[in-house]
Amino acid sequence: MKGSAVACMLALAGVVRGAPVVRSGATGVTPVDLRVNYLDTPLGIDDLTPTFSWKVAAPEGTRGAVASCSLAVKEEGALEAVLSAPSNATQFVPLPAGVTLKSDTSYTYTVTCTGGSATASFSTGLLEASDWAGADWISSTNNAAVLMRKKFTVAGEVTRARIFVAVPGYGQVSLNGQDVDGEAGTRTWSQYDMRTLYHTYDVTKHLKSGENVFGLHIGEGWYGMWGYGNPTAKAVLRYTSGDKTTTVVTDGSWTEGASPVLMDSEYNGVTYDANQETEGWDTAACAACSSWTPVTTGATAAPKIANTTLSSASFAPVKPMHRFTAKWMREPSPGTYVFDFTQNIAGWVKLKIKGTKNTTVTLRHAEALMHPPYGPRDGNIYVGNLRSAKATDTYILKGDPEGEEFTPVFTQHGFRYVEMKITGTDDPTPPSLDMLEAINIRSGLEQSGTAAFSDLMLNQVQHNILWGQADNLMMVPTDCDNRDERLGCEYTHT
């Protein structure tokens, strides 16, 4: 149940949050579920005229009065809020007159109705092109995933810090050895030469007094697939210590080193050699990083997007939504193991393993098992529907006696089954079910409702519709999360 036909059944799927139902005429109502541009507590909006929305709740059975509410917006540090006139509107409520949003500023807003009030917050991104002053596109001279870092010194306690980072493709953002962008990393998808999206992260807790390191691990993603160039990024880090705000930008002072990701592809998967890891590469203690070379900067780094417009990624980020353990594992042929996670998902599997150095684990993903007329029902996976997509991740062990973990962040697959092969080892022990965890990733939209029927077949159809749409929510609605396609609906690339 995948593809554009599924997209036409959004109303049944109940995945995307729709317009809230408001009980008109309720008395003593209170506001709930406050949103800015339909986002919950967004960071980095770059809309100068955002709209506000909320739902209203009322005691059961109360009716008769207009649900009148007012909106007040207050800049962080301001003494007073700016108030709008009361109205019965609960959606597309405009910014109160007299409020002019400023770049990289935090705001609170309070909705007051007849029965109570509620407060939420939002912050702005970089609203002017001049806010990116000094920041260059940086990239490697090699067309491959790359590690990039910048060491800098912070004086005093940090009270507020934000990273604004544009990664046209897939990447991971870190500070002092800690990821700041979650398990799925930073992902963007747009027509990069026209518009490139940036993400905003609150990194106040990640900075410390003294030496700090800003790290970027950048892969290809759709940017590399469409031939825009080598993996690249542009970033601005702004932090406040005392009464001073300091800016750290991507420029020629950054250095680059080799990534353990030897190959990454949206369709074909990731090859990762743990022996190529640079321990502590995004920390101040990295001694090996002293030999890293300067990055490529400016128009040379990203010539095809030199004139792109930078816009905030004002949508729910891609993140892990569900996790599954395999229900069974079988060995249809010697040394080939097939895991069944029972649910068809979009995402990847996380590998946990102990083994000797240079042992290689190959993970191939599929939606079905072999079946006629394509072959015998022998328990092996069927990949004919994937066309040219290899959908294969490879991990080469470094031999850590404490065990190793691998998550192929720079790709995604549509699958229910995973075929595992382990080579380069004399250990005859077969794998165990707990070695793999399937992680479903997608845009983090909330499911707004459910549907249930007395007919079990209809319930299964509804389940398939729900998952078919959810698996194809990857920043934009896509058509097929498995084969060599995954494009936006009705999208043609020239």
Side-chain angles (χ1 to χ4, degrees):
M1 295 295 294
K2 293 189 175 140
S4 56
V6 175
C8 298
M9 305 182 76
L10 282 171
L12 282 176
V15 176
V16 182
R17 174 175 295 275
V21 177
V22 177
R23 180 182 293 171
S24 179
T27 182
V29 299
T30 56
V32 296
D33 196 15
L34 277 59
R35 304 274 168 148
V36 180
N37 287 352
Y38 282 97
L39 297 172
D40 179 15
T41 319
L43 292 176
I45 66 169
D46 59 0
D47 184 353
L48 292 172
T49 57
T51 60
F52 300 78
S53 62
W54 54 86
K55 296 178 182 179
V56 292
E60 186 67 29
T62 58
R63 298 182 180 276
V66 174
S68 179
C69 304
S70 62
L71 170 68
V73 177
K74 182 181 178 182
E75 179 183 335
E76 184 179 56
L79 296 178
E80 296 182 356
V82 179
L83 185 68
S84 67
S87 76
N88 61 353
T90 60
Q91 294 188 61
F92 302 112
V93 178
L95 190 70
V99 177
T100 301
L101 298 183
K102 303 175 183 178
S103 287
D104 187 22
T105 302
S106 298
Y107 296 85
T108 58
Y109 65 102
T110 300
V111 178
T112 303
C113 302
T114 53
S117 63
T119 299
S121 64
F122 68 95
S123 72
T124 52
L126 302 182
L127 304 179
E128 304 290 341
S130 59
D131 295 328
W132 292 91
D136 283 331
W137 290 107
I138 60 174
S139 74
S140 171
T141 55
N142 298 314
N143 186 20
V146 62
L147 303 175
M148 298 185 285
R149 59 176 260 144
K150 163 72 175 179
K151 184 188 289 189
F152 61 99
T153 301
V154 172
E157 181 182 359
V158 173
T159 56
R160 186 181 188 276
R162 298 284 190 273
I163 284 177
F164 307 91
V165 57
V167 177
Y170 294 167
Q172 294 174 292
V173 184
S174 61
L175 276 174
N176 298 322
Q178 295 182 319
D179 291 337
V180 303
D181 53 357
E183 193 172 352
T186 296
R187 293 167 168 247
T188 64
W189 190 2
S190 64
Q191 186 172 340
Y192 300 111
D193 55 330
M194 300 293 291
R195 186 177 303 277
T196 299
L197 304 176
Y198 69 87
H199 287 76
T200 303
Y201 301 112
D202 181 351
V203 294
T204 306
K205 67 180 181 181
H206 294 282
L207 291 180
K208 59 185 181 181
S209 180
E211 287 190 330
N212 292 260
V213 171
F214 186 173
L216 294 171
H217 188 190
I218 308 298
E220 292 199 37
W222 289 104
Y223 180 84
M225 177 168 290
W226 291 127
Y228 279 99
N230 297 348
T232 187
K234 177 185 280 192
V236 173
L237 164 61
R238 291 166 55 96
Y239 66 89
T240 300
S241 178
D243 58 358
K244 182 181 179 182
T245 297
T246 303
T247 300
V248 177
V249 299
T250 47
D251 57 20
S253 65
W254 285 61
T255 56
E256 64 165 288
S259 167
V261 174
L262 306 184
M263 184 278 294
D264 65 287
S265 165
E266 175 72 12
Y267 295 160
N268 297 327
V270 167
T271 298
Y272 188 103
D273 186 352
N275 298 289
Q276 303 300 316
E277 291 177 345
T278 302
E279 185 175 358
W281 71 271
D282 52 358
T283 69
C286 179
C289 298
S290 61
S291 62
W292 284 17
T293 57
V295 297
T296 302
T297 62
T300 304
K304 293 186 178 181
I305 61 170
N307 297 316
T308 190
T309 297
L310 290 170
S311 298
S312 179
S314 297
F315 51 77
V318 173
K319 63 181 182 180
M321 300 299 292
H322 304 277
R323 298 171 185 270
F324 299 89
T325 55
K327 298 304 179 184
W328 56 256
M329 178 197 70
R330 293 170 185 163
E331 189 180 8
S333 57
T336 298
Y337 302 91
V338 174
F339 293 72
D340 181 7
F341 294 95
T342 71
Q343 175 60 53
N344 201 337
I345 68 170
W348 52 61
V349 290
K350 181 176 183 178
L351 169 69
K352 295 183 179 181
I353 189 171
K354 287 184 180 180
T356 57
K357 183 180 177 68
N358 292 326
T359 296
T360 299
V361 181
T362 303
L363 304 168
R364 193 162 60 143
H365 303 73
E367 293 187 311
L369 298 178
M370 182 59 71
H371 57 280
Y374 307 106
R377 297 184 185 277
D378 57 5
N380 285 296
I381 60 174
Y382 170 70
V383 295
N385 64 314
L386 304 185
R387 300 191 301 205
S388 69
K390 294 181 174 62
T392 300
D393 298 322
T394 302
Y395 181 73
I396 304 169
L397 276 69
K398 59 186 176 183
D400 188 338
E402 298 299 318
E404 303 173 42
E405 294 185 0
F406 167 58
T407 305
V409 176
F410 291 169
T411 189
Q412 70 181 61
H413 310 289
F415 68 98
R416 169 179 168 174
Y417 302 96
V418 173
E419 174 195 271
M420 175 190 287
K421 293 184 178 180
I422 303 176
T423 58
T425 178
D426 296 328
D427 186 355
T429 306
S432 56
L433 285 178
D434 59 0
M435 287 177 64
L436 296 183
E437 178 187 32
I439 302 176
N440 165 233
I441 64 167
R442 63 169 171 83
S443 295
L445 300 175
E446 300 172 18
Q447 183 177 333
S448 61
T450 59
F453 308 94
S454 58
D455 187 291
L456 295 180
M457 178 64 75
L458 280 178
N459 284 333
Q460 186 62 53
V461 170
Q462 163 64 11
H463 174 86
N464 293 350
I465 293 170
L466 178 69
W467 274 95
Q469 179 62 22
D471 284 347
N472 283 279
L473 289 174
M474 293 289 178
M475 298 166 281
V476 300
T478 65
D479 186 11
C480 294
D481 59 343
N482 51 0
R483 62 190 185 195
D484 54 350
E485 188 175 346
R486 312 180 197 184
L487 304 181
C489 296
E490 305 300 327
Y491 175 78
T492 301
H493 182 80
T494 301

